[in-house]
Amino acid sequence: MPRDPRVEPGALRIRLLAGAAALALAAWSGASQAQEASNVPLPTTTGPDGLAPGAVYVDAETVARDGDVISATGGAERVLARFRNTTLRAGQLTYDLAAGVGTADDRVEFVDPEGTFVFASHLELDPDLGAGVAVDFATRFRNGASLMAATAVRRSENVNELNYALFTPCPICDADGNPKQPSIAIQAEKVVQDEELRAVLYRNAVFRVGGVPVLYLPWFAHPDPTVERASGFLVPGPSYDEGRGVSLEVPYLQVVSPSEDWLISPQFNSHIAPLLNLQWRRRFEDGTVVLRGGYTYERNFGDFDLDSDGDAESNVTFGERTSRSYFLGYGRFDPQGPWRWGFTAERTSDKTLFDRYDVRDPYQDNGLYYGDQRRLISQIYTEHQTDRSYVSVAAFTLQSLRVASFDPVTPALNIFEDDGVLPVVAPLVEARWEPEGPIFGGRLRLRGSAVSLYRDDYVGSPILRAVAAPAGAVSGLPGVDTRRVSTQVDWRRTVISAGGVRWEPFVDLRADLYSIADLPPSLGLDDEAIARGRATAGVDVSYPLIRQFGATDLILEPMAQLSVSTDSDLDPRIPIEDSQTVELDESSLFRIDRFPGYDLYEGGGRITAGLRSTLRWDEGRQASLFVGRSIRTDEEPAFLVPAPDAPTQLYDPSGLASDTSDWVVQGDFSPSDRIRGWGHATIDSSGDVRRAEIAVDGRWGRRNLATVSYILDRSNPVVGPDNRNYEFLQLAGQQFVYGNWGVAFSGIADLERTRRPGQPDPGYLVRSEIGLLFDDDCFRFELGWRRDNTSVRPSGPAEGPYVRLTLATFGGTGY
C-alpha cells in the first residue's frame, strides 16, 4: 500500500502503531509479519530488538480499515506491536491517518527501552508523543516504585499530570502475584511529574502507612524515581543522647551537576547549640574529591562537676563557649597510565567532638595509609604500578583521639594521647621490581624502602628498648628522629616432583642503613649511623594428599620450612617504629620476616612445620583446620618489652622471643549455606592462650540472622591500670516474629574490665541495643532503647531511645 502523503515518516514509527504495516497484515489473519510501506527501501541494519530502523512488528487476530482509521484486534491474546526497542500490548489498536493519532484500548501494557512499564484501560497519543491521555493509568519504574492515577494527561514532552493519584515505592503485589496494601504510600488530588525539574509534585497529599492515613500536607515534592540524584530533603535522622538531648539531623542534597553536589545536614539539639555539617563532592574525569566538615559554637558537656560525695554530676555543661569543628576530606585520582595519586585531610578541634555529636563514620580508610580507629591521618601520596613494578611515595601526619589514661571518677577528666608523641612521616617510599622471565629457573624480586620520621616529644617503651630508655624524669626530652633506607633481594623457585611433593628453595638478602638523632642524653650519644645486613637461605616443602569417601573429600597437607640466616643484629639504639604488632597466623608463620616492617627481624636457623586438613562434602560445605609452630636455634631477648605497669618486668607480646614460637591454630567451617564460622588462636608453650578470635554467622528463615564473635588478648601478664589486655564478646542479630515485624538486638560485653582497677564487674556491657523492627522490601523502621558505657565517652554512660528509618525511594546521596 502506498504511504499516505499527509503522514510524516515519523508517524509510521510512533509507539502505538504503524498504519502501513498493520494494513499489510490484513490478508493474513492471525499471522505475524514485519513489513514497511512498499515504496520504502528496506534498511540493511537491525537494532537491538532485531528490527530494522523504522520497522514495526505486529501480531494481531484481525486487521481492518475503515476510511482513514486502521485497526488491529486481538483474540485470546492481545495485539502485540514492537518498534524502536519498545513493546505495546492491547486488546485493540487503532491509528487515524488523517488526525495522526493512535489509540490503544483494553488491558494496555507499554514497555519503553529503559524498562519502565505503563498500564492503562485506554491510551491515546499524538504522532510526536508530545501529548496524550491515559485512563486508569499505572506505571512501574525500574526501581520497583509505582505511580497510579484515575486519569493521566501528558501536557508536553517533559510534564505529566495525574489526577487522583497514588505513589508508592513499595511492592503492590505479594510473591504469588496477588494485590496487597503497600507499606507506605502518598495519595494526592493532583500529581505533576516534571522530567525537566526532575521532581514529582503533589497537591493535597496524604501519607499512608499500611493503608492508614498518618499525615496531610497541602503540597509535597520528592525526586523523580527515574532520577538517580536530585536536589531535595533526604530522610531525617532522629537520635537521643543524655548530653545533647533530643537530636534531629535534617539533610538536604543540592545537586549542582551530574558530577557535583552539596549535602547540607544541620543537627538540631534540644540541650545544646546545633552542629552544622557540610559535604561537597565532585567527580572529575579521572578522579573524585569529597570534603566534609562541621562547626558549632558551644561549651563542653558531660560528666564533670564533682558533688559532695566525690561523684561526677551527669551531663552538665562546663568551660567557655568556643568554636568547635572538624574537617574530613579525601581525593583519589587515577589518570590513564601507570600513575595515580591522592590525599586525605583529617583534623578536629576537640578530642571528643565525634563522640559528643555522634558524627557519622569519622574513621574511614580513604587513602594509601589508614590512621586506625581514633586516629586521624592527613596524607598525600602517589603510586606507579606496572605488571612488574610498583613504587609509592607518601607523607603523612597523625592526630590522636585515643585515651592514654582513664580517670576512675569521670570520663571528662580522661587524659588523651598527645599528638606530639606521634611521628611526622615524610617521606615514606616503598618499591619493588621483578625482571621479566625466570632467573636461574625461579622468580627474582627486588625491594626497596626508605622513611624519615620526626617526633616533637619523647616516647619511651615500646619505641625505645629498655637499655636505651633513660631512668628518671623524661619531661622536656625531645622525640627521637629516625631515617632508614633498606634494600632486599628475594629469589624463589617452585619444583614439583613426580610424586607430587612441592619444593620451593629460596634465598633472601637484605641490608639496612639507619640514621638516628635526638637519642636520650643519658646515653651520651650524638647522631648515630647504623648499618646491618642479613642473608637467608632455605626451602619450603609441602605434600598435599587427598582421599575421597564417596561424595566427601579429605585433604591433608603437611608443610615444613627449613631456613638458615646470619645472626640478627638488633642494635638497641634503633627505635621500634614499624614492628610493634605481630599477628601470627597460617600465612605469616612461614614468612622469612614474620615481623611487619623492618625494625625487628629474626636470625639463626629455624624449622617451621604445620598441617592443614580440609573436609569437603555436599556441594560447597567444608571445614578446615591448621596447626603449626616454629622452632629456632636461639632465643631472642630483644623481642621482650617492659610491662607498662612494671617497667622492670619484661614480657613477650609477639610469641617469638623464645626458641619455640607460639602454637598457631586456625580454622573455618561452613556446614551449610546458612552457617559459617572461623577461628584463630596463638597458644604459648605452657598452654595458655595469648590471642584468640572466633566468629560465627547464622541465618534461618528468609531474613533472620545473628552474628556472635569473641576476641581475646592476654599477651601482657602484669595487671595494672595501663594493661591493655582485652576480652570482648559481641552479639548482633534480628528475629522476625510476625510477618515483617521482629526484634533487632546487639551488644558488646567487655569481659576484661574487672581486671582493671576502678572498672565495673565482669560481663559489663559496653554497648547494647534492643528494639522493635519492621522491615519489608520498601522500608526499614527500628524503635528501641540503647545504652553506651564506653569509657572514652566524655558525657559518661548514656542511655535512651533510638529511631532508625530507611526508605527505599525518597532520595539518596550516593553517586
Side-chain angles (χ1 to χ4, degrees):
M1 178 186 113
R3 176 167 55 91
D4 192 302
R6 294 170 294 177
V7 182
E8 295 296 323
L12 295 174
R13 301 187 298 271
I14 65 172
R15 296 184 179 182
L16 294 178
L17 184 63
L23 188 59
L25 297 174
W28 298 277
S29 176
S32 297
Q33 299 283 344
Q35 181 178 326
E36 286 289 305
S38 59
N39 60 342
V40 179
L42 291 175
T44 58
T45 60
T46 59
D49 56 359
L51 298 178
V56 177
Y57 173 90
V58 178
D59 183 357
E61 181 78 16
T62 60
V63 178
R65 177 168 180 171
D66 184 6
D68 288 334
V69 177
I70 302 172
S71 62
T73 305
E77 297 290 336
R78 290 173 293 174
V79 178
L80 168 65
R82 289 197 297 115
F83 43 89
R84 292 164 54 181
N85 297 324
T86 64
T87 302
L88 177 65
R89 289 181 173 88
Q92 182 179 16
L93 301 180
T94 63
Y95 183 69
D96 190 326
L97 297 174
V101 175
T103 62
D105 292 278
D106 185 16
R107 299 167 292 156
V108 181
E109 177 183 332
F110 173 74
V111 186
D112 71 9
E114 297 179 352
T116 299
F117 285 76
V118 173
F119 305 92
S121 61
H122 173 80
L123 183 66
E124 181 177 324
L125 286 175
D126 68 3
D128 299 325
L129 302 179
V133 176
V135 179
D136 299 329
F137 170 85
T139 181
R140 186 172 71 243
F141 302 102
R142 297 187 307 276
N143 60 4
S146 300
L147 183 62
M148 295 154 278
T151 60
V153 180
R154 187 171 180 84
R155 298 295 184 186
S156 66
E157 185 178 354
N158 296 317
V159 177
N160 297 319
E161 181 181 298
L162 298 90
N163 299 293
Y164 301 101
L166 183 142
F167 170 81
T168 177
C170 309
I172 57 176
C173 296
D174 60 19
D176 298 326
N178 301 315
K180 76 168 189 174
Q181 186 72 248
S183 301
I184 57 175
I186 307 175
Q187 184 176 347
E189 178 182 328
K190 178 174 289 187
V191 179
V192 176
Q193 182 185 21
D194 193 321
E195 297 178 8
E196 185 175 1
L197 189 60
R198 303 194 301 178
V200 179
L201 312 174
Y202 297 80
R203 180 193 297 175
N204 294 328
V206 177
F207 292 78
R208 295 180 177 271
V209 177
V212 179
V214 295
L215 178 65
Y216 166 80
L217 292 175
W219 61 269
F220 177 71
H222 66 75
D224 191 324
T226 62
V227 177
E228 292 186 6
R229 297 183 308 124
S231 298
F233 286 98
L234 306 182
V235 179
S239 62
Y240 175 81
D241 178 84
E242 290 181 292
R244 299 192 315 272
V246 178
S247 299
L248 181 65
E249 190 165 341
V250 185
Y252 180 84
L253 180 67
Q254 177 62 49
V255 177
V256 180
S257 70
S259 60
E260 181 181 4
D261 63 34
W262 284 87
L263 182 63
I264 306 160
S265 186
Q267 180 192 84
F268 300 99
N269 307 293
S270 62
H271 292 175
I272 58 172
L275 173 73
L276 177 62
N277 298 286
L278 296 174
Q279 177 179 277
W280 175 76
R281 300 185 300 184
R282 174 70 185 271
R283 286 186 300 186
F284 299 89
E285 182 179 0
D286 57 4
T288 301
V289 174
V290 178
L291 307 178
R292 56 183 284 219
Y295 174 83
T296 188
Y297 187 80
E298 183 55 278
R299 303 165 68 189
N300 271 330
F301 59 90
D303 290 353
F304 183 75
D305 293 343
L306 303 182
D307 59 21
S308 58
D309 296 327
D311 296 326
E313 293 185 21
S314 297
N315 302 305
V316 296
T317 55
F318 55 90
E320 298 293 332
R321 289 185 181 273
T322 185
S323 294
R324 307 180 188 278
S325 61
Y326 71 89
F327 183 83
L328 305 170
Y330 69 90
R332 301 191 192 102
F333 293 88
D334 190 3
Q336 292 290 333
W339 288 98
R340 56 180 176 266
W341 68 278
F343 69 89
T344 64
E346 302 177 349
R347 279 297 183 270
T348 180
S349 62
D350 293 40
K351 300 279 189 180
T352 57
L353 186 141
F354 295 147
D355 307 286
R356 297 177 192 275
Y357 291 91
D358 282 345
V359 176
R360 58 183 174 85
D361 299 329
Y363 310 109
Q364 296 184 10
D365 184 5
N366 291 318
L368 185 60
Y369 296 98
Y370 176 43
D372 208 348
Q373 288 292 319
R374 304 202 67 85
R375 277 182 178 167
L376 303 179
I377 183 170
S378 298
Q379 62 184 306
I380 184 170
Y381 63 89
T382 184
E383 298 175 278
H384 180 281
Q385 185 170 10
T386 65
D387 292 340
R388 297 189 172 274
S389 66
Y390 174 81
V391 177
S392 68
V393 181
F396 59 83
T397 64
L398 299 166
Q399 182 184 15
S400 176
L401 309 182
R402 295 182 178 179
V403 176
S405 178
F406 292 96
D407 188 272
V409 177
T410 169
L413 298 179
N414 287 343
I415 299 175
F416 285 82
E417 186 177 42
D418 194 338
D419 295 341
V421 304
L422 301 176
V424 175
V425 181
L428 174 56
V429 182
E430 300 285 347
R432 64 177 179 269
W433 175 77
E434 296 181 15
E436 186 173 357
I439 305 296
F440 299 112
R443 185 264 301 152
L444 180 67
R445 178 176 294 161
L446 307 181
R447 290 190 179 94
S449 175
V451 65
S452 293
L453 296 93
Y454 306 91
R455 271 191 176 85
D456 292 333
D457 299 336
Y458 169 82
V459 180
S461 177
I463 303 298
L464 291 182
R465 314 281 179 87
V467 296
V474 296
S475 178
L477 293 181
V480 176
D481 299 334
T482 306
R483 291 164 291 279
R484 174 186 54 78
V485 176
S486 300
T487 59
Q488 193 168 5
V489 179
D490 170 28
W491 176 88
R492 180 177 291 266
R493 181 178 179 179
T494 301
V495 178
I496 300 178
S497 70
V501 180
R502 182 185 182 96
W503 302 83
E504 292 191 16
F506 59 85
V507 176
D508 185 273
L509 304 175
R510 170 177 156 182
D512 303 324
L513 177 62
Y514 283 85
S515 175
I516 314 296
D518 290 335
L519 286 165
S522 60
L523 298 179
L525 301 174
D526 295 325
D527 294 356
E528 297 294 314
I530 304 169
R532 66 184 188 184
R534 183 201 63 191
T536 302
V539 61
D540 287 324
V541 184
S542 62
Y543 187 33
L545 305 169
I546 184 171
R547 179 70 180 270
Q548 292 184 327
F549 303 92
T552 301
D553 295 335
L554 175 62
I555 303 172
L556 298 177
E557 186 176 2
M559 57 193 73
Q561 181 188 88
L562 172 64
S563 66
V564 179
S565 302
T566 57
D567 292 338
S568 59
D569 181 10
L570 302 179
D571 194 301
R573 295 170 295 176
I574 297 177
I576 310 302
E577 299 281 4
D578 59 10
S579 305
Q580 296 179 24
T581 303
V582 180
E583 293 291 343
L584 279 181
D585 57 23
E586 179 181 352
S587 60
S588 64
L589 185 65
F590 288 88
R591 292 175 186 163
I592 299 174
D593 293 308
R594 292 186 281 208
F595 283 92
Y598 290 84
D599 296 336
L600 291 178
Y601 68 89
E602 299 175 81
R606 71 187 190 199
I607 298 176
T608 304
L611 174 66
R612 182 196 298 121
S613 57
T614 303
L615 189 66
R616 297 174 179 169
W617 73 99
D618 287 350
E619 298 182 358
R621 303 183 182 188
Q622 69 170 31
S624 67
L625 178 67
F626 170 84
V627 179
R629 195 182 195 188
S630 181
I631 302 174
R632 199 172 49 236
T633 54
D634 300 302
E635 295 183 349
E636 187 52 81
F639 296 164
L640 301 174
V641 299
D645 294 293
T648 59
Q649 299 185 39
L650 302 179
Y651 75 100
D652 179 18
S654 65
L656 295 173
S658 175
D659 56 0
T660 57
S661 75
D662 286 352
W663 287 97
V664 175
V665 181
Q666 184 172 326
D668 63 79
F669 62 92
S670 53
S672 74
D673 58 354
R674 292 180 171 269
I675 300 176
R676 63 179 183 177
W678 66 276
H680 167 261
T682 54
I683 305 171
D684 63 21
S685 299
S686 62
D688 294 330
V689 177
R690 190 186 304 272
R691 293 185 179 91
E693 188 170 3
I694 302 171
V696 178
D697 299 334
R699 294 177 177 271
W700 60 98
R702 189 167 70 92
R703 293 174 294 173
N704 302 316
L705 56 92
T707 300
V708 181
S709 61
Y710 172 81
I711 185 169
L712 167 74
D713 188 329
R714 292 281 177 77
S715 57
N716 184 357
V718 180
V719 178
D722 292 328
N723 187 299
R724 289 295 183 263
N725 289 351
Y726 53 81
E727 185 177 7
F728 289 102
L729 178 65
Q730 182 172 355
L731 172 66
Q734 62 185 32
Q735 171 66 52
F736 285 86
V737 179
Y738 177 76
N740 294 320
W741 293 92
V743 178
F745 53 89
S746 66
I748 303 176
D750 186 350
L751 308 180
E752 186 73 22
R753 281 202 172 191
T754 188
R755 299 178 176 87
R756 303 175 194 149
Q759 297 293 345
D761 296 333
Y764 187 74
L765 285 175
V766 178
R767 289 192 182 96
S768 58
E769 289 185 357
I770 185 167
L772 182 66
L773 166 68
F774 179 88
D775 189 0
D776 65 3
D777 297 329
C778 179
F779 79 107
R780 181 184 177 96
F781 174 78
E782 285 185 58
L783 174 64
W785 191 267
R786 67 179 175 184
R787 181 172 176 82
D788 191 334
N789 296 305
T790 50
S791 300
V792 74
R793 281 186 59 86
S795 55
E799 61 180 334
Y802 72 88
V803 177
R804 296 193 184 102
L805 177 63
T806 304
L807 300 180
T809 312
F810 293 108
T813 61
Y815 278 117

